[in-house]
């Protein structure tokens, strides 16, 4: 398929199918998803998109018999997986933790026969060595995203406790793919500090063009995908245009030409009703609204009868982003038409606040949908806070139970690690607690084969509980299911 044919094929696809594809996510690797969504619109790659997310039990398992001993002999580093789920972080506190000593035990529970997920219990004993009662704000960090349903259950002295949620900013470059990346992210404390800080207000003035009542009167038999396009001439050094609802475009920076477009909605479409162009910097001046037979927007395929009502107004960047975010929240995340949704206890205020915190013109996409998708789907560190009172010369028991996703290689990749699940933990990263002991244990070890590790478990010898060396920052466990 040559470039011209591929472009024309895409132009004939209605935007609603492109939008549905962009908003359908089964994995958090957004880079793959955006490519997959665009390719799916050309129909050729729909089958490939299915294979990309094939489970290890499929014919495309790619599992060719991974070698390795139960002790991980000869392997002193963890695998860099294609999809990294992040480590298990230790508990920490907001206040000074003087007079408090902590012990920790992590249990990896493989009793549930569900590939790529386990039940993980992270248990703590906090001892107060002082002559006074101490009340602390405990903080439990965990890797998650705005769309993940999995959230930890936290109990204090056997009773489940409510938590307040604070979210760290996602990594814009999507390069947090190893525990060392998280170490770089969290080591100096600035990431956590920003998570607890107030969201910024974006008061930069902008000009907004709002398009509504988009119609096509019909009449052209070759209009396979009637499309509305807005075009103008701009100085790209002085003007940045952010769009919401537009699904295509042409940007000629050298000649200062700018065009964006979207399919005219028909009666079967229950998506966008409002379309926005948000102009930062110099206004666009004169512009042209033109209809085309399809999304290719070729000059020789113009059609009449495409129209829209356009309102121009001035506001602030923050208010403009909030308008677009609210539309996505209502029309995309909450109406059940798409699988996308906010989960994990995330509210709209958190979602919009993170949009403001993450926004920077020099690194933000021209189409806001792509920016919003990253905000929703890229992993970051969540912080759940709760109060704990530890009586003088006594202890408090804190238990965190969660369904933990594994790190893995995609089944269709034919990687030697396809079918391997990776789980890792860090002993001190991001915590101010004084740990005197940490240990780890395996539950239902008969369900697994250990491929690589540095914990020291030995299934053949029945060693399923080990003490951890607190000077060792990172521990990893990579397994395959036997049941």
């Amino acid at each position: 398929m040559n470039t011209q044919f591929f472009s024309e094929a895409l132009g004939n696809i209605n935007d609603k199918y492109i939008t549905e594809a962009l908003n359908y996510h089964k994995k958090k690797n957004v880079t793959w998803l955006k490519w997959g969504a665009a390719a799916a619109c050309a129909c050729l790659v729909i089958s490939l998109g299915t294979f990309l997310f094939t489970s290890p039990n499929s014919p495309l398992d790619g599992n060719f018999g991974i070698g390795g001993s139960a002790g991980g002999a000869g392997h002193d580093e963890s695998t860099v997986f294609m999809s990294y789920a992040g480590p298990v972080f230790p508990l920490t506190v907001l206040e000074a933790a003087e007079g408090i000593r902590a012990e920790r035990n992590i249990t990896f529970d493989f009793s549930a026969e569900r590939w790529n997920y386990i039940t993980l219990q992270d248990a703590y004993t906090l001892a107060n060595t002082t002559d006074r009662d101490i009340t602390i704000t405990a903080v439990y960090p965990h890797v998650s995203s705005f769309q993940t349903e999995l959230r930890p259950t936290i109990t204090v002295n056997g009773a489940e406790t409510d938590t307040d949620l604070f979210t760290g900013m996602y990594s814009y470059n999507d390069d947090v793919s190893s525990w060392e990346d998280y170490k770089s992210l969290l080591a100096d404390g600035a990431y956590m500090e920003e998570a607890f800080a107030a969201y910024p207000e974006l008061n930069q003035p902008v000009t907004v063009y709002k398009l509504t009542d988009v119609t096509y009167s019909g009449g052209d038999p070759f209009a396979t995908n009637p499309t509305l396009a807005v075009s103008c001439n701009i100085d790209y050094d002085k003007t940045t245009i952010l769009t919401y609802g537009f699904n295509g475009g042409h940007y000629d920076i050298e000649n200062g030409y700018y065009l964006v477009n979207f399919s005219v909605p028909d009666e079967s479409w229950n998506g966008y009703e409002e379309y926005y162009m948000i102009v930062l910097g110099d206004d666009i001046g004169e512009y042209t609204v033109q209809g085309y037979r399809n999304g290719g927007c070729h000059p020789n395929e113009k059609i009449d009868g495409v129209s829209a009502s356009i309102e121009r107004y001035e506001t602030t960047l923050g208010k403009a982003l909030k308008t677009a975010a609210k539309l996505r929240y209502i029309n995309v995340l909450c109406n059940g038409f798409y699988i996308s949704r906010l989960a994990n206890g995330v509210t709209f205020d958190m979602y919009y606040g993170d949009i403001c915190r993450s926004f920077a013109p020099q690194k933000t996409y021209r189409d806001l949908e792509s920016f919003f998708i990253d905000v929703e789907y890229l992993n970051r560190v969540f912080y759940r806070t709760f109060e704990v009172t530890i009586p003088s010369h006594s202890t408090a028991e804190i238990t965190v139970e969660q369904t933990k996703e594994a790190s893995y290689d995609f089944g269709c990749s034919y990687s030697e690690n396809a079918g391997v699940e990776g789980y890792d933990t860090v002993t001190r990263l991001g915590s101010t607690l004084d740990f005197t002991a940490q240990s780890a244990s395996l539950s239902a070890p008969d369900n697994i084969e250990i491929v690589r590790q540095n914990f020291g478990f030995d299934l053949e010898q029945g060693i399923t509980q080990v003490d951890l060396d607190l000077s060792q920052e990172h521990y990893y466990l990579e397994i395959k299911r036997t049941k």
Side-chain angles (χ1 to χ4, degrees):
M1 180 181 290
N2 62 36
T3 303
Q4 180 180 358
F5 183 83
F6 186 78
S7 176
E8 291 174 355
L10 282 178
N12 287 311
I13 302 298
N14 192 291
D15 286 351
K16 68 180 180 181
Y17 303 117
I18 298 175
T19 305
E20 289 172 21
L22 282 171
N23 287 283
Y24 182 83
H25 299 268
K26 295 184 72 175
K27 297 297 176 189
K28 58 183 176 297
N29 191 324
V30 175
T31 303
W32 281 43
L33 288 166
K34 290 175 185 172
W35 173 87
C41 298
C43 301
L44 262 176
V45 199
I46 292 178
S47 297
L48 178 58
T50 302
F51 293 145
L52 286 176
F53 305 116
T54 302
S55 76
N57 297 319
S58 75
L60 290 182
D61 187 324
N63 179 5
F64 298 114
I66 299 171
S69 68
H75 187 89
D76 58 2
E77 293 183 358
S78 58
T79 300
V80 177
F81 288 101
M82 293 178 179
S83 177
Y84 183 60
V88 181
F89 295 107
L91 185 77
T92 187
V93 294
L94 285 184
E95 306 88 354
E98 294 180 4
I100 298 175
R101 302 291 181 266
E103 295 184 3
R104 179 193 194 192
N105 177 258
I106 301 173
T107 301
F108 301 91
D109 186 351
F110 295 96
S111 58
E113 297 179 8
R114 181 186 179 191
W115 181 80
N116 214 45
Y117 291 90
I118 63 169
T119 299
L120 186 136
Q121 186 184 87
D122 198 2
Y124 299 84
T125 299
L126 302 185
N128 180 356
T129 63
T130 72
D131 295 326
R132 57 184 176 84
D133 296 350
I134 298 178
T135 298
I136 59 171
T137 303
V139 183
Y140 191 75
H142 64 101
V143 176
S144 194
S145 72
F146 280 7
Q147 60 85 36
T148 301
E149 291 284 9
L150 308 176
R151 68 177 79 179
T153 299
I154 301 177
T155 61
V156 177
N157 297 324
E160 185 173 343
T161 186
D162 293 330
T163 62
D164 292 322
L165 177 64
F166 298 86
T167 63
M169 189 169 68
Y170 73 90
S171 173
Y172 177 81
N173 293 320
D174 194 20
D175 58 358
V176 184
S177 57
S178 68
W179 84 271
E180 290 95 340
D181 291 334
Y182 279 102
K183 180 179 179 179
S184 298
L185 200 65
L186 305 183
D188 63 0
Y191 182 89
M192 179 175 168
E193 182 179 346
E194 184 177 28
F196 287 86
Y199 293 117
E201 295 184 9
L202 303 181
N203 293 319
Q204 176 181 348
V206 297
T207 303
V208 176
Y209 292 82
K210 175 184 176 181
L211 285 72
T212 56
D213 302 321
V214 181
T215 60
Y216 170 53
S217 59
D220 191 313
F222 299 103
T224 56
N225 175 27
T227 296
L228 181 148
V230 179
S231 61
C232 57
N233 292 307
I234 64 172
D235 183 338
Y236 280 83
D237 292 328
K238 297 180 179 180
T239 301
T240 298
I241 304 177
L242 308 174
T243 64
Y244 183 76
F246 292 79
N247 292 98
H250 175 65
Y251 314 116
D252 185 345
I253 297 176
E254 183 177 352
N255 295 307
Y257 182 70
Y258 176 88
L259 179 147
V260 286
N261 61 270
F262 58 86
S263 298
V264 176
D266 56 32
E267 63 276 2
S268 67
W269 175 232
N270 65 344
Y272 299 106
E273 295 182 355
E274 301 175 5
Y275 305 80
Y276 287 87
M277 297 170 58
I278 303 171
V279 182
L280 289 72
D282 290 354
D283 198 4
I284 61 175
E286 295 185 2
Y287 59 87
T288 300
V289 177
Q290 177 64 54
Y292 292 88
R293 289 173 176 171
N294 58 57
C297 297
H298 298 300
N300 61 344
E301 294 185 337
K302 295 179 180 179
I303 58 175
D304 295 325
V306 175
S307 63
S309 299
I310 301 180
E311 175 189 358
R312 178 190 178 278
Y313 63 91
E314 297 177 357
T315 186
T316 64
L317 176 59
K319 290 180 179 179
L321 289 176
K322 191 168 188 177
T323 296
K326 195 71 174 182
L327 287 173
R328 179 168 177 85
Y329 181 75
I330 294 172
N331 296 330
V332 177
L333 301 176
C334 296
N335 72 352
F337 185 75
Y338 298 113
I339 291 179
S340 316
R341 61 194 177 279
L342 296 184
N344 221 325
V346 174
T347 66
F348 174 75
D349 287 342
M350 292 180 185
Y351 175 61
Y352 168 65
D354 200 67
I355 286 170
C356 291
R357 184 171 57 186
S358 306
F359 183 86
Q362 70 272 18
K363 68 177 185 180
T364 300
Y365 306 101
R366 296 183 189 276
D367 64 293
L368 288 176
E369 285 88 343
S370 294
F371 176 43
F372 292 167
I373 285 171
D374 270 4
V375 171
E376 295 154 17
Y377 287 93
L378 290 182
N379 276 348
R380 78 278 304 285
V381 181
F382 280 26
Y383 296 93
R384 297 191 180 272
T385 66
F386 53 100
E387 282 197 352
V388 180
T389 298
I390 313 169
S392 171
H393 297 291
S394 187
T395 62
E397 303 291 335
I398 299 172
T399 301
V400 183
E401 188 168 294
Q402 59 183 306
T403 300
K404 175 64 177 172
E405 185 179 9
S407 303
Y408 63 95
D409 282 358
F410 296 104
C412 70
S413 64
Y414 295 100
S415 161
E416 65 172 8
N417 291 308
V420 173
E421 301 172 42
Y423 302 95
D424 60 350
T425 185
V426 287
T427 56
R428 306 187 310 277
L429 180 59
S431 181
T432 59
L433 283 172
D434 180 10
F435 284 99
T436 58
Q438 292 193 31
S439 59
S441 58
L442 302 177
S443 180
D446 292 342
N447 291 345
I448 64 168
E449 165 198 348
I450 296 178
V451 178
R452 288 178 285 268
Q453 62 155 327
N454 68 344
F455 278 92
F457 298 120
D458 192 326
L459 301 186
E460 293 182 359
Q461 299 298 319
I463 300 175
T464 58
Q465 183 161 347
V466 294
D467 293 329
L468 305 184
D469 182 353
L470 296 180
S471 66
Q472 176 79 28
E473 289 185 278
H474 172 242
Y475 282 87
Y476 59 89
L477 175 66
E478 299 172 14
I479 63 97
K480 290 185 64 178
R481 302 281 178 162
T482 58
K483 295 183 181 180

